[in-house]
Amino acid sequence: MKALQFADGELTLAETPRPDRQGEALVRVLKSGICNTDLEIVRGYARFEGTIGHEFVGIVETAPGRPALVGKRVVGEINVGCGNCDLCRAGDSRHCVGRTVLGIKERSGAHAEFLMLPAGNLLEVPAEIPDDEAVFVEPLAAAIGISEQVEITSETRVAVIGDGKLGLLCAFAMRLKTSRISLIGKHASKLEIAKKRGIEGVLLTDAE
């Protein structure tokens, strides 16, 4: 299969074997998204080498233990815990010290024709959500995860610093909880996107 791989300081489109992890589901990738993390990996972040990419939507080819998923369109939780530590047993495999992470840590990623994840990590995508939107589920989930860590009510005042892709998604996610939200950034065009969703924009200049 074709895969976008980073190794020895170079990024190449290579012919590689399909991933092979016993007991895991095989997913045929329909679309993958380019994240800033991918760009940072190419600059040396996480010291990862291999197939990069962790934002995806795809079709399940095989799913040991969950045959009903075969043929379904899915996205996935990118963290795979060890299954044995206290965090994993408590249901928080995302913070397992020994976890692998799709396209980031010890696991081939999504910029490829196929990827593998445990079937339990896969979530079926509703038919009404197109691929171009489904591929954003992973970063959107990261943004929504803020409200899992901090209680946000309609009275909470929130400031999101940075108007990049994830900053915008964080602002959109927090807007579901409170209208008292400001997005602080340096790009008027991006702040305008937020404004259309009822989010106050604060434009910084280089002098500030």
Side-chain angles (χ1 to χ4, degrees):
M1 70 172 187
K2 290 183 173 63
L4 188 62
Q5 293 205 315
F6 179 68
D8 298 324
E10 293 188 359
L11 190 64
T12 58
L13 183 62
E15 283 288 343
T16 67
R18 288 187 185 184
D20 183 14
R21 286 180 174 266
Q22 187 174 2
E24 294 193 1
L26 179 68
V27 178
R28 174 168 51 86
V29 177
L30 296 175
K31 292 198 173 186
S32 60
I34 298 173
C35 174
N36 278 355
T37 301
D38 298 332
L39 304 180
E40 291 302 322
I41 285 174
V42 173
R43 298 184 184 111
Y45 171 72
R47 298 180 181 178
F48 177 78
E49 291 195 344
T51 302
I52 62 174
H54 56 275
E55 301 174 6
F56 75 93
V57 57
I59 301 292
V60 179
E61 298 280 313
T62 63
R66 294 184 68 188
L69 274 180
V70 174
K72 302 295 186 182
R73 195 167 55 112
V74 297
V75 293
E77 163 60 58
I78 67 173
N79 295 281
V80 182
C82 70
N84 299 314
C85 68
D86 290 342
L87 284 169
C88 284
R89 287 196 293 267
D92 188 14
S93 60
R94 289 176 294 178
H95 295 101
C96 168
V97 175
R99 72 188 182 279
T100 61
V101 187
L102 189 72
I104 298 174
K105 182 183 179 185
E106 299 176 18
R107 177 175 287 270
S108 293
H111 294 327
E113 294 181 88
F114 295 90
L115 62 81
M116 295 196 82
L117 281 170
N121 282 51
L122 302 178
L123 300 166
E124 186 176 350
V125 178
E128 62 268 23
I129 299 178
D131 292 344
D132 286 348
E133 295 178 6
V135 77
F136 279 100
V137 165
E138 193 280 330
L140 181 59
I144 291 174
I146 295 170
S147 59
E148 294 180 351
Q149 301 175 55
V150 180
E151 183 180 4
I152 298 173
T153 71
S154 60
E155 298 301 314
T156 305
R157 188 77 173 95
V158 175
V160 177
I161 301 174
D163 56 7
K165 294 183 289 294
L166 187 56
L168 281 167
L169 284 173
C170 287
F172 295 165
M174 295 305 97
R175 182 64 180 83
L176 298 174
K177 296 285 188 176
T178 179
S179 61
R180 304 179 66 190
I181 181 168
S182 299
L183 177 63
I184 303 168
K186 294 185 176 182
H187 307 89
S189 60
K190 294 181 179 180
L191 295 177
E192 186 63 28
I193 294 171
K195 182 180 178 181
K196 292 176 180 177
R197 292 178 177 261
I199 298 167
E200 176 191 19
V202 178
L203 181 64
L204 298 179
T205 65
D206 290 337
E208 295 173 304

